[in-house]
Short mmCIF file of all heavy atoms in Angstrom, two decimals:
data_model
loop_
_atom_site.label_atom_id
_atom_site.label_comp_id
_atom_site.label_asym_id
_atom_site.label_seq_id
_atom_site.Cartn_x
_atom_site.Cartn_y
_atom_site.Cartn_z
N MET A 200 0.84 -1.19 0.00
CA MET A 200 0.00 0.00 0.00
C MET A 200 0.88 1.25 0.00
O MET A 200 1.79 1.38 0.80
CB MET A 200 -0.91 -0.03 1.23
CG MET A 200 -1.79 1.16 1.35
SD MET A 200 -2.84 0.97 2.82
CE MET A 200 -3.78 2.42 2.68
N ARG A 201 0.61 2.14 -0.89
CA ARG A 201 1.39 3.36 -0.98
C ARG A 201 0.81 4.41 -0.05
O ARG A 201 -0.38 4.52 0.11
CB ARG A 201 1.41 3.86 -2.41
CG ARG A 201 2.17 2.89 -3.32
CD ARG A 201 2.31 3.48 -4.66
NE ARG A 201 3.26 4.57 -4.58
CZ ARG A 201 4.40 4.60 -5.23
NH1 ARG A 201 4.74 3.60 -5.98
NH2 ARG A 201 5.19 5.64 -5.14
N GLY A 202 1.70 5.19 0.50
CA GLY A 202 1.27 6.23 1.43
C GLY A 202 1.13 7.57 0.76
O GLY A 202 1.07 7.69 -0.46
N LEU A 203 1.12 8.56 1.56
CA LEU A 203 1.02 9.94 1.14
C LEU A 203 2.26 10.34 0.35
O LEU A 203 3.37 9.97 0.68
CB LEU A 203 0.90 10.80 2.40
CG LEU A 203 0.63 12.26 2.30
CD1 LEU A 203 -0.71 12.51 1.62
CD2 LEU A 203 0.60 12.87 3.68
N ALA A 204 2.08 11.09 -0.72
CA ALA A 204 3.22 11.58 -1.51
C ALA A 204 3.45 13.05 -1.20
O ALA A 204 2.52 13.82 -1.09
CB ALA A 204 2.94 11.40 -3.00
N VAL A 205 4.70 13.41 -1.05
CA VAL A 205 5.08 14.79 -0.76
C VAL A 205 6.05 15.25 -1.83
O VAL A 205 6.99 14.54 -2.17
CB VAL A 205 5.73 14.91 0.64
CG1 VAL A 205 6.16 16.33 0.91
CG2 VAL A 205 4.79 14.43 1.72
N LYS A 206 5.83 16.43 -2.36
CA LYS A 206 6.71 16.98 -3.40
C LYS A 206 7.40 18.23 -2.87
O LYS A 206 6.76 19.13 -2.34
CB LYS A 206 5.90 17.33 -4.65
CG LYS A 206 6.74 17.84 -5.78
CD LYS A 206 5.91 18.05 -7.03
CE LYS A 206 6.78 18.56 -8.15
NZ LYS A 206 6.03 18.70 -9.39
N TYR A 207 8.70 18.26 -3.02
CA TYR A 207 9.50 19.41 -2.64
C TYR A 207 10.13 20.00 -3.89
O TYR A 207 10.56 19.26 -4.77
CB TYR A 207 10.61 19.02 -1.66
CG TYR A 207 10.09 18.45 -0.36
CD1 TYR A 207 10.11 17.10 -0.10
CD2 TYR A 207 9.57 19.30 0.61
CE1 TYR A 207 9.63 16.59 1.09
CE2 TYR A 207 9.08 18.80 1.80
CZ TYR A 207 9.12 17.44 2.04
OH TYR A 207 8.63 16.94 3.21
N SER A 208 10.20 21.30 -3.97
CA SER A 208 10.80 21.97 -5.12
C SER A 208 12.06 22.70 -4.70
O SER A 208 12.09 23.36 -3.66
CB SER A 208 9.83 22.97 -5.73
OG SER A 208 8.69 22.32 -6.21
N ILE A 209 13.09 22.58 -5.53
CA ILE A 209 14.31 23.34 -5.30
C ILE A 209 14.24 24.59 -6.17
O ILE A 209 14.08 24.49 -7.38
CB ILE A 209 15.56 22.51 -5.67
CG1 ILE A 209 15.68 21.29 -4.78
CG2 ILE A 209 16.82 23.38 -5.57
CD1 ILE A 209 16.81 20.35 -5.16
N GLU A 210 14.32 25.74 -5.52
CA GLU A 210 14.33 27.01 -6.23
C GLU A 210 15.77 27.52 -6.25
O GLU A 210 16.48 27.42 -5.26
CB GLU A 210 13.41 28.00 -5.53
CG GLU A 210 11.96 27.54 -5.51
CD GLU A 210 11.05 28.47 -4.72
OE1 GLU A 210 11.51 29.56 -4.31
OE2 GLU A 210 9.90 28.08 -4.52
N VAL A 211 16.17 28.04 -7.38
CA VAL A 211 17.56 28.47 -7.52
C VAL A 211 17.61 29.88 -8.12
O VAL A 211 16.79 30.23 -8.96
CB VAL A 211 18.36 27.46 -8.37
CG1 VAL A 211 17.83 27.36 -9.78
CG2 VAL A 211 19.84 27.79 -8.39
N GLU A 212 18.56 30.66 -7.62
CA GLU A 212 18.75 32.02 -8.16
C GLU A 212 20.21 32.42 -7.99
O GLU A 212 20.90 31.92 -7.12
CB GLU A 212 17.83 33.02 -7.47
CG GLU A 212 18.12 33.22 -6.00
CD GLU A 212 17.16 34.19 -5.33
OE1 GLU A 212 15.94 33.97 -5.42
OE2 GLU A 212 17.65 35.15 -4.72
N GLN A 213 20.63 33.33 -8.85
CA GLN A 213 22.02 33.82 -8.78
C GLN A 213 22.05 35.10 -7.95
O GLN A 213 21.26 36.02 -8.17
CB GLN A 213 22.57 34.05 -10.18
CG GLN A 213 24.06 34.29 -10.16
CD GLN A 213 24.67 34.27 -11.55
OE1 GLN A 213 24.00 34.48 -12.55
NE2 GLN A 213 25.97 34.00 -11.62
N GLU A 214 22.97 35.13 -7.01
CA GLU A 214 23.17 36.30 -6.16
C GLU A 214 23.95 37.37 -6.93
O GLU A 214 24.57 37.09 -7.95
CB GLU A 214 23.95 35.89 -4.90
CG GLU A 214 23.26 34.85 -4.05
CD GLU A 214 22.15 35.43 -3.22
OE1 GLU A 214 22.42 36.29 -2.37
OE2 GLU A 214 20.98 35.02 -3.43
N GLU A 215 23.94 38.59 -6.42
CA GLU A 215 24.65 39.69 -7.07
C GLU A 215 26.15 39.44 -7.16
O GLU A 215 26.81 39.93 -8.07
CB GLU A 215 24.38 41.00 -6.33
CG GLU A 215 22.97 41.51 -6.51
CD GLU A 215 22.72 42.84 -5.83
OE1 GLU A 215 23.70 43.55 -5.51
OE2 GLU A 215 21.55 43.19 -5.65
N ASP A 216 26.69 38.69 -6.20
CA ASP A 216 28.13 38.41 -6.21
C ASP A 216 28.52 37.25 -7.12
O ASP A 216 29.67 36.85 -7.17
CB ASP A 216 28.64 38.18 -4.79
CG ASP A 216 28.04 36.95 -4.13
OD1 ASP A 216 27.27 36.21 -4.79
OD2 ASP A 216 28.34 36.71 -2.95
N GLY A 217 27.54 36.67 -7.84
CA GLY A 217 27.81 35.60 -8.78
C GLY A 217 27.56 34.20 -8.26
O GLY A 217 27.48 33.25 -9.03
N ARG A 218 27.48 34.07 -6.93
CA ARG A 218 27.20 32.74 -6.37
C ARG A 218 25.77 32.34 -6.66
O ARG A 218 24.91 33.19 -6.89
CB ARG A 218 27.38 32.73 -4.84
CG ARG A 218 28.77 32.99 -4.37
CD ARG A 218 28.86 32.94 -2.87
NE ARG A 218 27.97 33.94 -2.27
CZ ARG A 218 27.63 33.97 -0.99
NH1 ARG A 218 28.10 33.07 -0.15
NH2 ARG A 218 26.84 34.91 -0.53
N TRP A 219 25.51 31.06 -6.66
CA TRP A 219 24.16 30.54 -6.85
C TRP A 219 23.62 30.06 -5.51
O TRP A 219 24.34 29.46 -4.71
CB TRP A 219 24.17 29.39 -7.85
CG TRP A 219 24.40 29.86 -9.24
CD1 TRP A 219 25.59 30.06 -9.86
CD2 TRP A 219 23.39 30.23 -10.19
NE1 TRP A 219 25.41 30.53 -11.14
CE2 TRP A 219 24.06 30.64 -11.37
CE3 TRP A 219 22.00 30.25 -10.17
CZ2 TRP A 219 23.39 31.05 -12.52
CZ3 TRP A 219 21.33 30.65 -11.30
CH2 TRP A 219 22.02 31.06 -12.45
N LEU A 220 22.36 30.34 -5.25
CA LEU A 220 21.68 29.93 -4.03
C LEU A 220 20.51 29.05 -4.42
O LEU A 220 19.69 29.43 -5.27
CB LEU A 220 21.17 31.14 -3.25
CG LEU A 220 20.29 30.86 -2.04
CD1 LEU A 220 21.08 30.11 -0.97
CD2 LEU A 220 19.72 32.15 -1.49
N ALA A 221 20.43 27.89 -3.81
CA ALA A 221 19.30 26.99 -4.03
C ALA A 221 18.68 26.68 -2.68
O ALA A 221 19.37 26.57 -1.67
CB ALA A 221 19.76 25.70 -4.70
N GLU A 222 17.34 26.56 -2.65
CA GLU A 222 16.66 26.27 -1.39
C GLU A 222 15.38 25.48 -1.62
O GLU A 222 14.81 25.50 -2.71
CB GLU A 222 16.36 27.53 -0.61
CG GLU A 222 15.32 28.43 -1.24
CD GLU A 222 15.02 29.65 -0.38
OE1 GLU A 222 14.94 29.53 0.85
OE2 GLU A 222 14.86 30.73 -0.96
N VAL A 223 14.95 24.80 -0.58
CA VAL A 223 13.67 24.10 -0.56
C VAL A 223 12.81 24.86 0.43
O VAL A 223 12.99 24.76 1.64
CB VAL A 223 13.83 22.62 -0.13
CG1 VAL A 223 12.47 21.95 -0.04
CG2 VAL A 223 14.73 21.88 -1.10
N ALA A 224 11.89 25.67 -0.08
CA ALA A 224 11.08 26.54 0.78
C ALA A 224 10.24 25.75 1.78
O ALA A 224 9.98 26.22 2.88
CB ALA A 224 10.18 27.43 -0.08
N GLU A 225 9.84 24.54 1.40
CA GLU A 225 8.99 23.73 2.27
C GLU A 225 9.75 23.15 3.47
O GLU A 225 9.14 22.66 4.42
CB GLU A 225 8.36 22.56 1.49
CG GLU A 225 7.50 22.97 0.33
CD GLU A 225 8.27 23.07 -0.99
OE1 GLU A 225 9.51 23.03 -0.98
OE2 GLU A 225 7.60 23.20 -2.04
N LEU A 226 11.07 23.24 3.43
CA LEU A 226 11.91 22.74 4.53
C LEU A 226 12.79 23.89 5.03
O LEU A 226 13.87 24.14 4.49
CB LEU A 226 12.80 21.58 4.04
CG LEU A 226 12.08 20.32 3.58
CD1 LEU A 226 13.06 19.34 2.94
CD2 LEU A 226 11.36 19.67 4.75
N PRO A 227 12.32 24.61 6.05
CA PRO A 227 13.08 25.76 6.55
C PRO A 227 14.53 25.42 6.84
O PRO A 227 14.83 24.38 7.44
CB PRO A 227 12.33 26.14 7.83
CG PRO A 227 10.94 25.63 7.61
CD PRO A 227 11.12 24.35 6.82
N GLY A 228 15.42 26.28 6.38
CA GLY A 228 16.85 26.10 6.63
C GLY A 228 17.56 25.24 5.61
O GLY A 228 18.78 25.09 5.67
N VAL A 229 16.81 24.65 4.67
CA VAL A 229 17.44 23.81 3.66
C VAL A 229 17.80 24.68 2.46
O VAL A 229 16.97 24.97 1.60
CB VAL A 229 16.53 22.62 3.25
CG1 VAL A 229 17.16 21.83 2.11
CG2 VAL A 229 16.30 21.72 4.45
N LEU A 230 19.04 25.16 2.47
CA LEU A 230 19.56 25.99 1.38
C LEU A 230 21.06 25.83 1.32
O LEU A 230 21.70 25.47 2.30
CB LEU A 230 19.17 27.45 1.56
CG LEU A 230 19.58 28.17 2.84
CD1 LEU A 230 20.92 28.83 2.67
CD2 LEU A 230 18.54 29.20 3.18
N ALA A 231 21.59 26.06 0.14
CA ALA A 231 23.04 25.93 -0.04
C ALA A 231 23.49 26.82 -1.19
O ALA A 231 22.74 27.09 -2.12
CB ALA A 231 23.41 24.48 -0.33
N TYR A 232 24.74 27.26 -1.09
CA TYR A 232 25.37 28.05 -2.14
C TYR A 232 26.27 27.15 -2.98
O TYR A 232 26.78 26.15 -2.50
CB TYR A 232 26.22 29.17 -1.54
CG TYR A 232 25.43 30.32 -0.98
CD1 TYR A 232 25.13 30.39 0.37
CD2 TYR A 232 24.97 31.33 -1.82
CE1 TYR A 232 24.40 31.45 0.88
CE2 TYR A 232 24.24 32.40 -1.32
CZ TYR A 232 23.96 32.44 0.03
OH TYR A 232 23.23 33.49 0.53
N GLY A 233 26.49 27.56 -4.21
CA GLY A 233 27.42 26.85 -5.08
C GLY A 233 27.98 27.79 -6.12
O GLY A 233 27.42 28.87 -6.38
N GLY A 234 29.07 27.39 -6.74
CA GLY A 234 29.68 28.18 -7.80
C GLY A 234 28.88 28.13 -9.09
O GLY A 234 29.00 29.02 -9.93
N THR A 235 28.06 27.08 -9.24
CA THR A 235 27.16 26.95 -10.39
C THR A 235 25.78 26.61 -9.86
O THR A 235 25.62 26.18 -8.70
CB THR A 235 27.61 25.81 -11.33
OG1 THR A 235 27.50 24.57 -10.63
CG2 THR A 235 29.03 26.01 -11.83
N ALA A 236 24.78 26.79 -10.71
CA ALA A 236 23.41 26.43 -10.31
C ALA A 236 23.33 24.95 -9.98
O ALA A 236 22.71 24.55 -8.98
CB ALA A 236 22.43 26.80 -11.42
N GLU A 237 23.98 24.11 -10.78
CA GLU A 237 23.94 22.67 -10.57
C GLU A 237 24.56 22.27 -9.24
O GLU A 237 24.06 21.41 -8.53
CB GLU A 237 24.65 21.94 -11.73
CG GLU A 237 23.92 22.06 -13.05
CD GLU A 237 24.13 23.40 -13.77
OE1 GLU A 237 25.09 24.15 -13.42
OE2 GLU A 237 23.33 23.71 -14.65
N GLU A 238 25.69 22.92 -8.89
CA GLU A 238 26.34 22.62 -7.61
C GLU A 238 25.45 23.00 -6.44
O GLU A 238 25.29 22.23 -5.48
CB GLU A 238 27.68 23.36 -7.52
CG GLU A 238 28.42 23.10 -6.23
CD GLU A 238 29.69 23.93 -6.10
OE1 GLU A 238 29.97 24.79 -6.96
OE2 GLU A 238 30.41 23.71 -5.12
N ALA A 239 24.84 24.18 -6.50
CA ALA A 239 23.95 24.62 -5.43
C ALA A 239 22.75 23.69 -5.30
O ALA A 239 22.35 23.33 -4.19
CB ALA A 239 23.50 26.06 -5.69
N MET A 240 22.17 23.27 -6.43
CA MET A 240 21.02 22.37 -6.39
C MET A 240 21.39 21.01 -5.83
O MET A 240 20.66 20.43 -5.03
CB MET A 240 20.40 22.23 -7.78
CG MET A 240 19.70 23.50 -8.25
SD MET A 240 18.89 23.32 -9.86
CE MET A 240 20.27 23.15 -10.96
N ALA A 241 22.55 20.49 -6.21
CA ALA A 241 22.99 19.19 -5.72
C ALA A 241 23.20 19.24 -4.20
O ALA A 241 22.76 18.33 -3.47
CB ALA A 241 24.27 18.75 -6.42
N LYS A 242 23.86 20.28 -3.72
CA LYS A 242 24.09 20.42 -2.27
C LYS A 242 22.76 20.53 -1.53
O LYS A 242 22.60 19.97 -0.44
CB LYS A 242 24.95 21.66 -1.99
CG LYS A 242 26.39 21.51 -2.39
CD LYS A 242 27.14 22.80 -2.08
CE LYS A 242 28.60 22.72 -2.39
NZ LYS A 242 29.31 23.97 -2.05
N THR A 243 21.81 21.26 -2.11
CA THR A 243 20.51 21.44 -1.47
C THR A 243 19.73 20.13 -1.44
O THR A 243 19.09 19.81 -0.44
CB THR A 243 19.72 22.54 -2.19
OG1 THR A 243 20.47 23.76 -2.10
CG2 THR A 243 18.36 22.76 -1.57
N GLU A 244 19.79 19.36 -2.51
CA GLU A 244 19.09 18.08 -2.53
C GLU A 244 19.66 17.14 -1.46
O GLU A 244 18.91 16.48 -0.74
CB GLU A 244 19.19 17.43 -3.91
CG GLU A 244 18.37 16.16 -4.00
CD GLU A 244 18.31 15.60 -5.41
OE1 GLU A 244 18.90 16.18 -6.34
OE2 GLU A 244 17.67 14.56 -5.57
N VAL A 245 20.98 17.09 -1.34
CA VAL A 245 21.60 16.26 -0.32
C VAL A 245 21.15 16.69 1.07
O VAL A 245 20.79 15.86 1.91
CB VAL A 245 23.15 16.31 -0.45
CG1 VAL A 245 23.82 15.71 0.77
CG2 VAL A 245 23.60 15.62 -1.72
N LEU A 246 21.15 17.99 1.32
CA LEU A 246 20.74 18.51 2.62
C LEU A 246 19.27 18.19 2.89
O LEU A 246 18.92 17.79 4.01
CB LEU A 246 20.99 20.02 2.69
CG LEU A 246 20.65 20.69 4.02
CD1 LEU A 246 21.38 20.03 5.19
CD2 LEU A 246 20.97 22.17 3.94
N ALA A 247 18.41 18.33 1.90
CA ALA A 247 16.98 18.02 2.07
C ALA A 247 16.80 16.56 2.45
O ALA A 247 16.02 16.23 3.36
CB ALA A 247 16.21 18.34 0.79
N LEU A 248 17.51 15.67 1.79
CA LEU A 248 17.39 14.25 2.10
C LEU A 248 17.91 13.94 3.50
O LEU A 248 17.32 13.13 4.23
CB LEU A 248 18.12 13.42 1.05
CG LEU A 248 17.48 13.45 -0.34
CD1 LEU A 248 18.40 12.79 -1.36
CD2 LEU A 248 16.10 12.81 -0.33
N ARG A 249 18.97 14.63 3.93
CA ARG A 249 19.48 14.45 5.29
C ARG A 249 18.47 14.92 6.33
O ARG A 249 18.25 14.27 7.35
CB ARG A 249 20.80 15.20 5.47
CG ARG A 249 21.95 14.54 4.79
CD ARG A 249 23.25 15.28 5.05
NE ARG A 249 24.33 14.59 4.36
CZ ARG A 249 25.39 15.20 3.87
NH1 ARG A 249 25.53 16.51 4.01
NH2 ARG A 249 26.33 14.52 3.26
N VAL A 250 17.84 16.06 6.07
CA VAL A 250 16.84 16.58 7.00
C VAL A 250 15.66 15.62 7.10
O VAL A 250 15.19 15.31 8.20
CB VAL A 250 16.37 17.99 6.57
CG1 VAL A 250 15.11 18.41 7.30
CG2 VAL A 250 17.49 19.01 6.79
N LEU A 251 15.19 15.13 5.97
CA LEU A 251 14.07 14.18 5.97
C LEU A 251 14.44 12.89 6.70
O LEU A 251 13.65 12.34 7.47
CB LEU A 251 13.61 13.89 4.55
CG LEU A 251 12.99 15.08 3.82
CD1 LEU A 251 12.78 14.76 2.35
CD2 LEU A 251 11.69 15.51 4.47
N ALA A 252 15.67 12.40 6.48
CA ALA A 252 16.12 11.19 7.16
C ALA A 252 16.19 11.40 8.67
O ALA A 252 15.76 10.54 9.45
CB ALA A 252 17.49 10.76 6.62
N GLU A 253 16.70 12.55 9.10
CA GLU A 253 16.76 12.86 10.53
C GLU A 253 15.37 12.88 11.15
O GLU A 253 15.17 12.37 12.25
CB GLU A 253 17.45 14.21 10.76
CG GLU A 253 18.94 14.19 10.59
CD GLU A 253 19.66 13.52 11.75
OE1 GLU A 253 19.21 13.66 12.91
OE2 GLU A 253 20.66 12.83 11.48
N ARG A 254 14.41 13.48 10.45
CA ARG A 254 13.05 13.53 10.96
C ARG A 254 12.47 12.14 11.13
O ARG A 254 11.79 11.85 12.12
CB ARG A 254 12.16 14.37 10.03
CG ARG A 254 12.45 15.83 10.09
CD ARG A 254 11.54 16.61 9.17
NE ARG A 254 11.81 18.03 9.23
CZ ARG A 254 11.13 18.94 8.55
NH1 ARG A 254 10.15 18.58 7.75
NH2 ARG A 254 11.44 20.21 8.67
N LEU A 255 12.75 11.26 10.19
CA LEU A 255 12.27 9.87 10.29
C LEU A 255 12.95 9.15 11.44
O LEU A 255 12.30 8.44 12.22
CB LEU A 255 12.52 9.13 8.98
CG LEU A 255 11.62 9.49 7.81
CD1 LEU A 255 12.15 8.86 6.53
CD2 LEU A 255 10.19 9.04 8.08
N GLU A 256 14.27 9.30 11.55
CA GLU A 256 15.02 8.62 12.60
C GLU A 256 14.57 9.03 14.00
O GLU A 256 14.60 8.23 14.92
CB GLU A 256 16.51 8.89 12.45
CG GLU A 256 17.14 8.16 11.29
CD GLU A 256 18.61 8.48 11.12
OE1 GLU A 256 19.12 9.43 11.74
OE2 GLU A 256 19.25 7.77 10.35
N HIS A 257 14.15 10.27 14.14
CA HIS A 257 13.75 10.78 15.45
C HIS A 257 12.24 10.76 15.67
O HIS A 257 11.74 11.34 16.64
CB HIS A 257 14.30 12.21 15.65
CG HIS A 257 15.80 12.24 15.67
ND1 HIS A 257 16.54 11.78 16.73
CD2 HIS A 257 16.69 12.65 14.74
CE1 HIS A 257 17.83 11.90 16.46
NE2 HIS A 257 17.94 12.43 15.25
N GLY A 258 11.52 10.12 14.76
CA GLY A 258 10.07 9.99 14.92
C GLY A 258 9.30 11.28 14.72
O GLY A 258 8.15 11.38 15.14
N GLU A 259 9.91 12.26 14.07
CA GLU A 259 9.24 13.55 13.85
C GLU A 259 8.37 13.54 12.60
O GLU A 259 7.62 14.47 12.37
CB GLU A 259 10.29 14.66 13.73
CG GLU A 259 11.11 14.84 14.99
CD GLU A 259 12.29 15.78 14.78
OE1 GLU A 259 12.30 16.53 13.79
OE2 GLU A 259 13.21 15.74 15.61
N ALA A 260 8.50 12.49 11.80
CA ALA A 260 7.72 12.36 10.57
C ALA A 260 7.48 10.89 10.33
O ALA A 260 8.16 10.03 10.89
CB ALA A 260 8.47 12.98 9.39
N ARG A 261 6.51 10.59 9.47
CA ARG A 261 6.30 9.20 9.10
C ARG A 261 6.70 9.03 7.64
O ARG A 261 6.73 10.00 6.88
CB ARG A 261 4.86 8.78 9.34
CG ARG A 261 3.83 9.61 8.67
CD ARG A 261 2.45 9.04 9.00
NE ARG A 261 1.69 8.97 7.78
CZ ARG A 261 0.65 9.73 7.52
NH1 ARG A 261 0.21 10.57 8.42
NH2 ARG A 261 0.02 9.62 6.38
N PRO A 262 7.03 7.81 7.25
CA PRO A 262 7.48 7.59 5.87
C PRO A 262 6.43 8.01 4.84
O PRO A 262 5.24 7.76 5.02
CB PRO A 262 7.71 6.07 5.81
CG PRO A 262 7.86 5.64 7.22
CD PRO A 262 7.02 6.59 8.02
N VAL A 263 6.88 8.67 3.79
CA VAL A 263 6.02 9.08 2.68
C VAL A 263 6.81 8.94 1.38
O VAL A 263 8.03 8.90 1.39
CB VAL A 263 5.53 10.55 2.82
CG1 VAL A 263 4.66 10.73 4.03
CG2 VAL A 263 6.69 11.51 2.84
N ASP A 264 6.09 8.85 0.27
CA ASP A 264 6.75 8.91 -1.04
C ASP A 264 7.17 10.36 -1.25
O ASP A 264 6.37 11.26 -1.02
CB ASP A 264 5.79 8.50 -2.15
CG ASP A 264 5.43 7.02 -2.09
OD1 ASP A 264 6.23 6.24 -1.56
OD2 ASP A 264 4.35 6.67 -2.59
N ILE A 265 8.41 10.59 -1.66
CA ILE A 265 8.85 11.96 -1.88
C ILE A 265 9.29 12.15 -3.32
O ILE A 265 9.71 11.22 -3.99
CB ILE A 265 10.00 12.38 -0.94
CG1 ILE A 265 11.23 11.51 -1.17
CG2 ILE A 265 9.56 12.36 0.50
CD1 ILE A 265 12.47 12.02 -0.45
N SER A 266 9.17 13.38 -3.77
CA SER A 266 9.62 13.77 -5.10
C SER A 266 10.25 15.14 -4.95
O SER A 266 9.68 16.03 -4.34
CB SER A 266 8.42 13.86 -6.05
OG SER A 266 8.80 14.42 -7.27
N ILE A 267 11.47 15.27 -5.48
CA ILE A 267 12.16 16.56 -5.42
C ILE A 267 12.33 17.03 -6.85
O ILE A 267 12.90 16.32 -7.68
CB ILE A 267 13.52 16.44 -4.72
CG1 ILE A 267 13.33 15.99 -3.27
CG2 ILE A 267 14.27 17.77 -4.78
CD1 ILE A 267 14.61 15.76 -2.51
N SER A 268 11.85 18.23 -7.15
CA SER A 268 11.96 18.77 -8.50
C SER A 268 12.69 20.10 -8.45
O SER A 268 12.81 20.72 -7.41
CB SER A 268 10.59 18.93 -9.14
OG SER A 268 9.83 19.88 -8.43
N VAL A 269 13.15 20.51 -9.61
CA VAL A 269 13.90 21.75 -9.72
C VAL A 269 13.06 22.79 -10.46
O VAL A 269 12.60 22.54 -11.57
CB VAL A 269 15.22 21.52 -10.48
CG1 VAL A 269 15.97 22.83 -10.64
CG2 VAL A 269 16.06 20.49 -9.76
N ALA A 270 12.86 23.94 -9.82
CA ALA A 270 12.16 25.05 -10.46
C ALA A 270 13.13 25.71 -11.42
O ALA A 270 14.35 25.68 -11.22
CB ALA A 270 11.68 26.04 -9.41
N GLY A 271 12.63 26.34 -12.47
CA GLY A 271 13.48 26.99 -13.47
C GLY A 271 14.39 28.03 -12.89
O GLY A 271 14.03 28.74 -11.96
N ALA A 272 15.59 28.11 -13.42
CA ALA A 272 16.57 29.08 -12.94
C ALA A 272 16.31 30.44 -13.53
O ALA A 272 15.81 30.61 -14.58
CB ALA A 272 17.98 28.62 -13.31
#
């Protein structure tokens, strides 16, 4: 039996100093900088998965199907 599905989106934008910032708005504090948009998105996806895993390990969430997508740059 499949459970509830949750979708998270990674939003990415370039800062004035040239760095790229990516974040998952649905997960407060899940954001990362990178030298390229791809690097920032990859770091953010890893962090999002770590946060979700921590929540599961500590009983703060229950298992759900997840989908992480990238919003246009």
Side-chain angles (χ1 to χ4, degrees):
M200 179 178 182
R201 294 187 71 118
L203 187 61
V205 178
K206 182 175 180 177
Y207 298 103
S208 297
I209 296 175
E210 297 176 8
V211 63
E212 65 182 55
Q213 191 169 23
E214 299 283 297
E215 289 183 18
D216 64 4
R218 296 181 301 167
W219 287 88
L220 172 65
E222 68 178 320
V223 177
E225 300 91 348
L226 296 172
V229 175
L230 57 91
Y232 285 97
T235 65
E237 292 79 17
E238 180 185 6
M240 290 183 292
K242 288 179 177 181
T243 299
E244 185 173 0
V245 168
L246 182 56
L248 293 171
R249 286 183 180 149
V250 166
L251 294 170
E253 285 286 324
R254 288 181 179 182
L255 287 170
E256 288 178 348
H257 296 287
E259 298 170 17
R261 56 179 226 249
V263 296
D264 292 335
I265 62 170
S266 171
I267 298 176
S268 64
V269 178

